[in-house]
Amino acid sequence: MLEPARTVAIFQSSSPVTFVAGEIIFSQGEPGNTIMYGIIEGEIEILVDDKIVETLAAGDVFGEGSLLRPDRLRASSAIAKSDCKLAFLDRERFLFAAQETPLFALEVMKSYSDRLRRLSQRFVTECG
């Protein structure tokens, strides 16, 4: 089974993009420009209200919410924790990849579910 980030790389229309450590990839509240990312190399920090809620690494995908939500607004910020290389998909290519590669859609859902589970467990631990 392909990991989601590699599938994003296969279906993208142009070369991966690179970010240097500390560079903002997107900011909470801004329009999502209908792009999701797959991490090919490096690490990304996800922040909500300027607080780091998780760190993602190679193989992970993020930003998919802007492809699915009607308002297309980013619910979080993403900042490069290290120098990184990211594959990306716009909404049209995401829908094509999900239709042509159903396992990709399942892997994206699993990734999303895993992240929600980690955040839920963290919340319970911290608020206990």
PDB file of all heavy atoms in Angstrom, residues 97-116:
ATOM      1  N   ALA A  97      -7.085  11.533  -7.547  1.00  0.00           N
ATOM      2  CA  ALA A  97      -6.290  10.509  -6.844  1.00  0.00           C
ATOM      3  C   ALA A  97      -7.186   9.639  -5.971  1.00  0.00           C
ATOM      4  O   ALA A  97      -7.029   8.408  -5.931  1.00  0.00           O
ATOM      5  CB  ALA A  97      -5.195  11.163  -6.000  1.00  0.00           C
ATOM      6  N   ALA A  98      -8.143  10.259  -5.287  1.00  0.00           N
ATOM      7  CA  ALA A  98      -9.047   9.499  -4.415  1.00  0.00           C
ATOM      8  C   ALA A  98      -9.935   8.559  -5.235  1.00  0.00           C
ATOM      9  O   ALA A  98     -10.203   7.429  -4.822  1.00  0.00           O
ATOM     10  CB  ALA A  98      -9.902  10.458  -3.593  1.00  0.00           C
ATOM     11  N   GLN A  99     -10.362   9.011  -6.410  1.00  0.00           N
ATOM     12  CA  GLN A  99     -11.206   8.188  -7.266  1.00  0.00           C
ATOM     13  C   GLN A  99     -10.412   7.065  -7.919  1.00  0.00           C
ATOM     14  O   GLN A  99     -10.861   5.922  -7.971  1.00  0.00           O
ATOM     15  CB  GLN A  99     -11.859   9.046  -8.346  1.00  0.00           C
ATOM     16  CG  GLN A  99     -12.764   8.262  -9.271  1.00  0.00           C
ATOM     17  CD  GLN A  99     -13.431   9.166 -10.302  1.00  0.00           C
ATOM     18  OE1 GLN A  99     -13.465  10.382 -10.166  1.00  0.00           O
ATOM     19  NE2 GLN A  99     -13.967   8.562 -11.337  1.00  0.00           N
ATOM     20  N   GLU A 100      -9.231   7.371  -8.422  1.00  0.00           N
ATOM     21  CA  GLU A 100      -8.432   6.388  -9.153  1.00  0.00           C
ATOM     22  C   GLU A 100      -7.643   5.451  -8.246  1.00  0.00           C
ATOM     23  O   GLU A 100      -7.255   4.370  -8.680  1.00  0.00           O
ATOM     24  CB  GLU A 100      -7.468   7.110 -10.112  1.00  0.00           C
ATOM     25  CG  GLU A 100      -8.165   7.892 -11.197  1.00  0.00           C
ATOM     26  CD  GLU A 100      -9.037   7.011 -12.089  1.00  0.00           C
ATOM     27  OE1 GLU A 100      -8.571   5.936 -12.511  1.00  0.00           O
ATOM     28  OE2 GLU A 100     -10.192   7.390 -12.347  1.00  0.00           O
ATOM     29  N   THR A 101      -7.409   5.874  -7.017  1.00  0.00           N
ATOM     30  CA  THR A 101      -6.629   5.072  -6.070  1.00  0.00           C
ATOM     31  C   THR A 101      -7.382   5.053  -4.743  1.00  0.00           C
ATOM     32  O   THR A 101      -7.027   5.793  -3.815  1.00  0.00           O
ATOM     33  CB  THR A 101      -5.216   5.685  -5.883  1.00  0.00           C
ATOM     34  OG1 THR A 101      -4.682   5.996  -7.161  1.00  0.00           O
ATOM     35  CG2 THR A 101      -4.292   4.737  -5.165  1.00  0.00           C
ATOM     36  N   PRO A 102      -8.418   4.232  -4.622  1.00  0.00           N
ATOM     37  CA  PRO A 102      -9.221   4.221  -3.394  1.00  0.00           C
ATOM     38  C   PRO A 102      -8.397   3.984  -2.123  1.00  0.00           C
ATOM     39  O   PRO A 102      -8.724   4.517  -1.070  1.00  0.00           O
ATOM     40  CB  PRO A 102     -10.224   3.088  -3.629  1.00  0.00           C
ATOM     41  CG  PRO A 102     -10.331   2.990  -5.114  1.00  0.00           C
ATOM     42  CD  PRO A 102      -8.962   3.325  -5.630  1.00  0.00           C
ATOM     43  N   LEU A 103      -7.302   3.240  -2.227  1.00  0.00           N
ATOM     44  CA  LEU A 103      -6.468   3.025  -1.044  1.00  0.00           C
ATOM     45  C   LEU A 103      -5.846   4.340  -0.574  1.00  0.00           C
ATOM     46  O   LEU A 103      -5.606   4.527   0.616  1.00  0.00           O
ATOM     47  CB  LEU A 103      -5.382   1.982  -1.311  1.00  0.00           C
ATOM     48  CG  LEU A 103      -5.895   0.547  -1.442  1.00  0.00           C
ATOM     49  CD1 LEU A 103      -4.748  -0.408  -1.764  1.00  0.00           C
ATOM     50  CD2 LEU A 103      -6.619   0.104  -0.187  1.00  0.00           C
ATOM     51  N   PHE A 104      -5.589   5.256  -1.497  1.00  0.00           N
ATOM     52  CA  PHE A 104      -5.096   6.581  -1.121  1.00  0.00           C
ATOM     53  C   PHE A 104      -6.130   7.281  -0.247  1.00  0.00           C
ATOM     54  O   PHE A 104      -5.793   7.834   0.803  1.00  0.00           O
ATOM     55  CB  PHE A 104      -4.786   7.416  -2.372  1.00  0.00           C
ATOM     56  CG  PHE A 104      -4.571   8.873  -2.091  1.00  0.00           C
ATOM     57  CD1 PHE A 104      -3.472   9.307  -1.374  1.00  0.00           C
ATOM     58  CD2 PHE A 104      -5.473   9.817  -2.557  1.00  0.00           C
ATOM     59  CE1 PHE A 104      -3.270  10.660  -1.125  1.00  0.00           C
ATOM     60  CE2 PHE A 104      -5.278  11.173  -2.315  1.00  0.00           C
ATOM     61  CZ  PHE A 104      -4.176  11.592  -1.596  1.00  0.00           C
ATOM     62  N   ALA A 105      -7.380   7.269  -0.668  1.00  0.00           N
ATOM     63  CA  ALA A 105      -8.445   7.905   0.115  1.00  0.00           C
ATOM     64  C   ALA A 105      -8.533   7.282   1.507  1.00  0.00           C
ATOM     65  O   ALA A 105      -8.667   7.989   2.511  1.00  0.00           O
ATOM     66  CB  ALA A 105      -9.783   7.787  -0.611  1.00  0.00           C
ATOM     67  N   LEU A 106      -8.420   5.962   1.573  1.00  0.00           N
ATOM     68  CA  LEU A 106      -8.453   5.287   2.874  1.00  0.00           C
ATOM     69  C   LEU A 106      -7.254   5.672   3.729  1.00  0.00           C
ATOM     70  O   LEU A 106      -7.383   5.876   4.939  1.00  0.00           O
ATOM     71  CB  LEU A 106      -8.505   3.770   2.686  1.00  0.00           C
ATOM     72  CG  LEU A 106      -9.800   3.225   2.091  1.00  0.00           C
ATOM     73  CD1 LEU A 106      -9.661   1.720   1.832  1.00  0.00           C
ATOM     74  CD2 LEU A 106     -10.968   3.501   3.016  1.00  0.00           C
ATOM     75  N   GLU A 107      -6.092   5.792   3.134  1.00  0.00           N
ATOM     76  CA  GLU A 107      -4.894   6.179   3.883  1.00  0.00           C
ATOM     77  C   GLU A 107      -4.983   7.617   4.382  1.00  0.00           C
ATOM     78  O   GLU A 107      -4.539   7.924   5.487  1.00  0.00           O
ATOM     79  CB  GLU A 107      -3.634   5.975   3.042  1.00  0.00           C
ATOM     80  CG  GLU A 107      -3.207   4.526   2.952  1.00  0.00           C
ATOM     81  CD  GLU A 107      -2.892   3.915   4.307  1.00  0.00           C
ATOM     82  OE1 GLU A 107      -2.091   4.493   5.063  1.00  0.00           O
ATOM     83  OE2 GLU A 107      -3.450   2.852   4.618  1.00  0.00           O
ATOM     84  N   VAL A 108      -5.563   8.501   3.586  1.00  0.00           N
ATOM     85  CA  VAL A 108      -5.755   9.879   4.040  1.00  0.00           C
ATOM     86  C   VAL A 108      -6.723   9.894   5.221  1.00  0.00           C
ATOM     87  O   VAL A 108      -6.484  10.571   6.222  1.00  0.00           O
ATOM     88  CB  VAL A 108      -6.258  10.788   2.891  1.00  0.00           C
ATOM     89  CG1 VAL A 108      -6.712  12.145   3.422  1.00  0.00           C
ATOM     90  CG2 VAL A 108      -5.168  10.964   1.853  1.00  0.00           C
ATOM     91  N   MET A 109      -7.812   9.119   5.134  1.00  0.00           N
ATOM     92  CA  MET A 109      -8.761   9.039   6.245  1.00  0.00           C
ATOM     93  C   MET A 109      -8.093   8.452   7.488  1.00  0.00           C
ATOM     94  O   MET A 109      -8.306   8.930   8.602  1.00  0.00           O
ATOM     95  CB  MET A 109      -9.996   8.227   5.853  1.00  0.00           C
ATOM     96  CG  MET A 109     -10.879   8.953   4.883  1.00  0.00           C
ATOM     97  SD  MET A 109     -12.492   8.187   4.570  1.00  0.00           S
ATOM     98  CE  MET A 109     -12.063   6.541   4.065  1.00  0.00           C
ATOM     99  N   LYS A 110      -7.257   7.431   7.305  1.00  0.00           N
ATOM    100  CA  LYS A 110      -6.549   6.831   8.436  1.00  0.00           C
ATOM    101  C   LYS A 110      -5.599   7.844   9.064  1.00  0.00           C
ATOM    102  O   LYS A 110      -5.523   7.963  10.291  1.00  0.00           O
ATOM    103  CB  LYS A 110      -5.784   5.586   8.002  1.00  0.00           C
ATOM    104  CG  LYS A 110      -5.046   4.905   9.142  1.00  0.00           C
ATOM    105  CD  LYS A 110      -4.225   3.730   8.647  1.00  0.00           C
ATOM    106  CE  LYS A 110      -3.462   3.057   9.761  1.00  0.00           C
ATOM    107  NZ  LYS A 110      -2.598   3.939  10.533  1.00  0.00           N
ATOM    108  N   SER A 111      -4.873   8.579   8.246  1.00  0.00           N
ATOM    109  CA  SER A 111      -3.961   9.601   8.744  1.00  0.00           C
ATOM    110  C   SER A 111      -4.724  10.641   9.572  1.00  0.00           C
ATOM    111  O   SER A 111      -4.302  11.020  10.668  1.00  0.00           O
ATOM    112  CB  SER A 111      -3.239  10.276   7.565  1.00  0.00           C
ATOM    113  OG  SER A 111      -2.487  11.377   7.998  1.00  0.00           O
ATOM    114  N   TYR A 112      -5.840  11.070   9.040  1.00  0.00           N
ATOM    115  CA  TYR A 112      -6.674  12.049   9.735  1.00  0.00           C
ATOM    116  C   TYR A 112      -7.191  11.480  11.051  1.00  0.00           C
ATOM    117  O   TYR A 112      -7.165  12.137  12.086  1.00  0.00           O
ATOM    118  CB  TYR A 112      -7.825  12.432   8.806  1.00  0.00           C
ATOM    119  CG  TYR A 112      -8.354  13.824   8.986  1.00  0.00           C
ATOM    120  CD1 TYR A 112      -7.561  14.931   8.736  1.00  0.00           C
ATOM    121  CD2 TYR A 112      -9.667  14.037   9.387  1.00  0.00           C
ATOM    122  CE1 TYR A 112      -8.051  16.216   8.890  1.00  0.00           C
ATOM    123  CE2 TYR A 112     -10.172  15.313   9.537  1.00  0.00           C
ATOM    124  CZ  TYR A 112      -9.358  16.399   9.295  1.00  0.00           C
ATOM    125  OH  TYR A 112      -9.858  17.659   9.449  1.00  0.00           O
ATOM    126  N   SER A 113      -7.645  10.230  11.019  1.00  0.00           N
ATOM    127  CA  SER A 113      -8.154   9.564  12.216  1.00  0.00           C
ATOM    128  C   SER A 113      -7.046   9.379  13.258  1.00  0.00           C
ATOM    129  O   SER A 113      -7.262   9.608  14.450  1.00  0.00           O
ATOM    130  CB  SER A 113      -8.753   8.204  11.833  1.00  0.00           C
ATOM    131  OG  SER A 113      -9.158   7.507  12.984  1.00  0.00           O
ATOM    132  N   ASP A 114      -5.869   8.980  12.819  1.00  0.00           N
ATOM    133  CA  ASP A 114      -4.737   8.806  13.740  1.00  0.00           C
ATOM    134  C   ASP A 114      -4.392  10.129  14.415  1.00  0.00           C
ATOM    135  O   ASP A 114      -4.124  10.176  15.618  1.00  0.00           O
ATOM    136  CB  ASP A 114      -3.505   8.275  13.005  1.00  0.00           C
ATOM    137  CG  ASP A 114      -3.646   6.824  12.571  1.00  0.00           C
ATOM    138  OD1 ASP A 114      -4.582   6.136  13.030  1.00  0.00           O
ATOM    139  OD2 ASP A 114      -2.808   6.385  11.755  1.00  0.00           O
ATOM    140  N   ARG A 115      -4.379  11.203  13.645  1.00  0.00           N
ATOM    141  CA  ARG A 115      -4.063  12.516  14.210  1.00  0.00           C
ATOM    142  C   ARG A 115      -5.125  12.940  15.220  1.00  0.00           C
ATOM    143  O   ARG A 115      -4.801  13.458  16.283  1.00  0.00           O
ATOM    144  CB  ARG A 115      -3.926  13.544  13.095  1.00  0.00           C
ATOM    145  CG  ARG A 115      -2.658  13.309  12.279  1.00  0.00           C
ATOM    146  CD  ARG A 115      -2.556  14.161  11.059  1.00  0.00           C
ATOM    147  NE  ARG A 115      -2.577  15.572  11.410  1.00  0.00           N
ATOM    148  CZ  ARG A 115      -2.829  16.526  10.539  1.00  0.00           C
ATOM    149  NH1 ARG A 115      -3.090  16.243   9.283  1.00  0.00           N
ATOM    150  NH2 ARG A 115      -2.813  17.785  10.920  1.00  0.00           N
ATOM    151  N   LEU A 116      -6.394  12.712  14.908  1.00  0.00           N
ATOM    152  CA  LEU A 116      -7.473  13.054  15.835  1.00  0.00           C
ATOM    153  C   LEU A 116      -7.348  12.234  17.117  1.00  0.00           C
ATOM    154  O   LEU A 116      -7.515  12.752  18.222  1.00  0.00           O
ATOM    155  CB  LEU A 116      -8.838  12.833  15.174  1.00  0.00           C
ATOM    156  CG  LEU A 116     -10.049  13.137  16.048  1.00  0.00           C
ATOM    157  CD1 LEU A 116     -10.034  14.595  16.509  1.00  0.00           C
ATOM    158  CD2 LEU A 116     -11.334  12.830  15.285  1.00  0.00           C
TER     159      LEU A 116
END
